[in-house]
Amino acid sequence: MKSRTRKQILTGLRYLAIITGAVVVLFPIYLMLTTSLKPRVAAFAIPPEWTFVPTLSSYATVLFDDNFLRFFSNSVQVALGATVGSVLIAALAAYGIVRFRFKGSQVFVGGTLVLKMIPEVILVVPVFLLWNAFGLINTRIGLILVYVALNLAFNIWIIRAFMMEVPRELEQSAEIDGCSELTIFSRIIMPLIAPGLSVAAIFTFRLAWNEFVLSLALTNRFTRTLPVAVSMYITDVGVQWGPITAIATVIALPAFIFTFLAARSLISGLTAGAVKG
Amino acid sequence: MSTTLRKSVTPWLFTLPALACIVFILIVPVLSGVRLSFFEYAMRDFAAGRDPVFIGLDNFRILFSSANFQASIRVTLVFVSSVVVFELLLGLILALLMEGGIKGLRLFRTLFILPIMIAPVVVGLIWRFMYHPSFGILNYFLLRLGLDPIPWLHSSEWALRSVIIADVWQWTPFVFLILLAGLQGVSKDLIEAGIVDGCSYLQNLFFVKLPSIASIIAVAAILRLIDAFRSLVVIYVMTYGGPGVSTEVMSLHLYKTAFMAQRLGRAAAIAVILLAILIALSSVLVVRTLRTERK
């Protein structure tokens, strides 16, 4: 009897700790969302107004700003371009590595692991100089190219893991039927590893959509992406928290969508290489 | 003949685009950065079309005797070691609380991904908003509790701690996810055998669970170490390295050297030092992964 109440208390404490953790994790995000929906005055109110009539006025301010629309469109183009490019190139490479096991593929795998840790900030200066020389500075395509390369290692790694699960007999029978390598790749392999492709796509999109330092150094006011644009709205005097939190929410939107639609893929992508490999 | 030729060329055709991207966009810039670190090259030389001047190891010599660079190393070491320790501890506690299946585990796991997925710029903005001295929510809570407000980002004593708190908030969920996956992989028989033998929870934890996930804890630590050394954007948005240089980590010092002080050669030298640290850290990971690959 006594041990039962003790157990109940322990379970209660456990849930209390977990819920506290969840509140701490979620509160800052909640604050961003609500601030973006508050009328201008309420955004600054201390004590904070916990209940308020939500308004889209901050979003309206942002959306009717031509600059915002340009930066938004830049972000979309860059993120989509980088995602398609990087996933396609990585899938081809992964197929080459898995199917042909040529000399040096082990080196390739080890090499991609090292490449995964190259930080953006190390590339900033040399890429800035090179892109100037090649006329790629201040262009969206220049930024896309860097993001394609930056996520290749991770994408090859993930897609390769999924490809290794595809039974070899499937390819062999297709080969006997006279399919070329490219047909086997595009018609048989690609549809089978769709989940792997989506993990790669989500993480590439995340990098290209969120990245800041390279975008700051390699773009100008015409080709800038949203994260850089929003950072330029802040000065300590007269910060417009309503519009800023509205843009921040727009930037965070894909993160929300991916999290609620594809939590499982995200977890497998985040823990890849740590748990299994 | 032509089929054998095709057979030997095909694998290369598949890997060629990836190889080209990696060589021309990652390896060539990194190597040219290493080369640049031995040169004196300022932004105005670049603008005027002048060539870099070879100065040997002078950039490194100047860096190591520069007070700001030394400060940035100190700040980086404090930042990195604090975030890794706190994130591992809190992540482990959360994982232990949630293993063994609680109600709504999937929902909790999903919610915990959010901070990881959100752009660093946004994380920096949110925390800057909460840390605001006059209308920040944190000081409001402190006042309500009858405590003195804290000058979160505005004193050199507190700024680094505040930056560490924001990082711990964002990345503890990552450590939690990895450790939870690890704990769920621990053999149930092993734990039950322990219980049958009369092990207490703590004995089971220290003699069975933790040893069986030791290598996963190590991997989580290295992944976080690598990322923490690279961390830049959240700090850029929250403090821009200030007040003074109290939160200027190496990567931020690199950026400022390149684009504020406009010394490209010296910035490249910082990049080389940072790269050396990261290669050392990630080689541990590479060796381990290649070993498990071979099995």
Side-chain angles (χ1 to χ4, degrees):
Chain A
M1 182 61 203
K2 206 174 173 188
S3 78
R4 238 186 82 195
T5 43
R6 193 171 151 233
K7 207 170 175 188
Q8 276 173 342
I9 291 171
L10 278 177
T11 316
L13 283 176
R14 213 173 97 185
Y15 274 94
L16 192 70
I18 292 168
I19 288 167
T20 312
V23 168
V24 171
V25 166
L26 291 181
F27 180 75
I29 299 169
Y30 165 83
L31 195 69
M32 169 183 79
L33 287 174
T34 50
T35 307
S36 75
L37 292 169
K38 279 180 184 174
R40 188 158 298 210
V41 191
F44 298 93
I46 283 291
E49 297 175 10
W50 297 112
T51 55
F52 59 95
V53 185
T55 159
L56 290 174
S57 71
S58 290
Y59 289 90
T61 317
V62 169
L63 283 175
F64 290 122
D65 181 358
D66 287 344
N67 284 327
F68 171 82
L69 292 178
R70 181 165 17 134
F71 301 144
F72 181 78
S73 140
N74 288 339
S75 268
V76 172
Q77 291 176 47
V78 167
L80 287 180
T83 305
V84 172
S86 192
V87 172
L88 193 65
I89 293 173
L92 284 169
Y95 184 63
I97 294 170
V98 171
R99 186 170 146 81
F100 302 106
R101 300 182 183 283
F102 56 93
K103 267 182 210 157
S105 65
Q106 190 80 1
V107 177
F108 203 96
V109 172
T112 54
L113 270 175
V114 177
L115 291 172
K116 254 169 74 172
M117 62 83 217
I118 294 183
E120 293 85 5
V121 72
I122 283 182
L123 291 172
V124 165
V125 171
V127 171
F128 172 80
L129 295 173
L130 285 170
W131 269 204
N132 261 301
F134 291 121
L136 286 166
I137 197 78
N138 299 335
T139 66
R140 283 178 289 263
I141 188 79
L143 200 55
I144 290 176
L145 283 174
V146 190
Y147 293 157
V148 165
L150 268 177
N151 239 41
L152 265 183
F154 174 82
N155 289 348
I156 293 174
W157 188 250
I158 284 284
I159 295 173
R160 174 175 162 272
F162 277 83
M163 275 184 184
M164 291 197 294
E165 307 289 317
V166 176
R168 198 94 168 90
E169 295 76 39
L170 225 55
E171 297 168 46
Q172 278 157 351
S173 62
E175 204 166 1
I176 292 164
D177 289 347
C179 292
S180 73
E181 276 90 358
L182 208 60
T183 322
I184 297 175
F185 170 75
S186 60
R187 294 285 164 77
I188 296 170
I189 305 291
M190 287 294 259
L192 280 174
I193 57 156
L197 296 177
S198 71
V199 176
I202 290 173
F203 279 89
T204 315
F205 191 94
R206 165 183 180 245
L207 173 93
W209 182 265
N210 289 354
E211 204 281 331
F212 177 78
V213 179
L214 286 163
S215 176
L216 185 65
L218 302 179
T219 60
N220 60 10
R221 61 200 178 86
F222 298 109
T223 49
R224 195 169 285 158
T225 54
L226 276 181
V228 176
V230 73
S231 77
M232 295 190 168
Y233 279 76
I234 28 169
T235 46
D236 239 341
V237 210
V239 197
Q240 300 220 309
W241 283 111
I244 283 187
T245 48
I247 302 177
T249 307
V250 172
I251 298 176
L253 213 57
F256 292 131
I257 296 172
F258 292 145
T259 302
F260 289 108
L261 289 185
R264 194 173 285 255
S265 320
L266 292 183
I267 292 172
S268 73
L270 285 170
T271 55
V275 182
K276 250 197 295 176
Chain B
M1 175 59 204
S2 79
T3 39
T4 47
L5 183 70
R6 219 182 110 216
K7 278 245 145 66
S8 63
V9 168
T10 318
W12 285 103
L13 286 181
F14 276 98
T15 41
L16 200 63
L19 219 51
C21 282
I22 287 169
V23 168
F24 289 110
I25 309 176
L26 297 180
I27 295 178
V28 167
V30 166
L31 293 181
S32 78
V34 173
R35 182 172 172 274
L36 190 64
S37 70
F38 302 113
F39 287 80
E40 161 86 51
Y41 197 43
M43 198 67 99
R44 59 170 188 279
D45 299 325
F46 162 71
R50 280 192 291 268
D51 285 335
V53 180
F54 184 79
I55 51 166
L57 291 170
D58 275 4
N59 279 325
F60 294 93
R61 229 170 271 141
I62 294 167
L63 276 176
F64 282 109
S65 60
S66 132
N68 278 356
F69 181 70
Q70 287 170 4
S72 82
I73 290 182
R74 254 196 319 275
V75 171
T76 308
L77 290 179
V78 174
F79 174 79
V80 167
S81 52
S82 320
V83 301
V84 171
V85 167
F86 283 120
E87 285 161 15
L88 281 178
L89 263 177
L90 290 172
L92 183 63
I93 292 173
L94 276 174
L96 285 170
L97 284 169
M98 292 209 204
E99 65 150 348
I102 56 150
K103 274 180 203 140
L105 177 64
R106 296 237 332 245
L107 178 68
F108 277 118
R109 267 201 333 187
T110 305
L111 294 175
F112 277 40
I113 310 173
L114 273 175
I116 309 173
M117 293 300 289
I118 289 179
V121 166
V122 172
V123 172
L125 282 172
I126 302 178
W127 280 90
R128 193 169 159 160
F129 184 46
M130 295 199 297
Y131 282 142
H132 198 282
S134 43
F135 51 82
I137 195 94
L138 293 176
N139 274 350
Y140 167 72
F141 286 148
L142 287 178
L143 279 174
R144 286 294 296 268
L145 292 169
L147 300 167
D148 285 335
I150 291 172
W152 297 101
L153 299 175
H154 293 269
S155 81
S156 37
E157 191 198 353
W158 271 95
L160 187 55
R161 293 177 206 166
S162 308
V163 165
I164 290 168
I165 293 173
D167 192 272
V168 170
W169 173 80
Q170 192 183 9
W171 289 104
T172 297
F174 172 75
V175 177
F176 156 75
L177 286 175
I178 289 182
L179 296 188
L180 183 66
L183 280 173
Q184 285 171 338
V186 177
S187 132
K188 294 275 173 298
D189 297 346
L190 216 58
I191 293 168
E192 259 152 43
I195 295 172
V196 171
D197 287 347
C199 284
S200 72
Y201 177 80
L202 282 182
Q203 282 171 325
N204 232 331
L205 176 63
F206 284 108
F207 298 119
V208 181
K209 281 184 198 166
L210 290 186
S212 9
I213 61 163
S215 74
I216 289 176
I217 295 178
V219 172
I222 293 172
L223 286 175
R224 281 308 302 142
L225 271 173
I226 291 174
D227 254 13
F229 268 106
R230 303 162 36 150
S231 169
L232 155 67
V233 182
V234 176
I235 301 175
Y236 180 104
V237 174
M238 275 174 34
T239 65
Y240 197 57
V245 288
S246 59
T247 55
E248 192 165 308
V249 287
M250 269 171 80
S251 51
L252 186 55
H253 189 61
L254 194 176
Y255 188 85
K256 284 180 155 181
T257 307
F259 293 99
M260 298 300 128
Q262 311 215 324
R263 294 178 178 280
L264 300 174
R266 196 165 308 159
I270 303 175
V272 168
I273 297 167
L274 195 57
L275 193 64
I277 296 173
L278 291 170
I279 286 178
L281 283 172
S282 63
S283 62
V284 182
L285 215 57
V286 174
V287 168
R288 174 182 179 275
T289 311
L290 287 182
R291 208 183 291 147
T292 45
E293 280 279 300
R294 231 167 264 142
K295 272 179 200 161

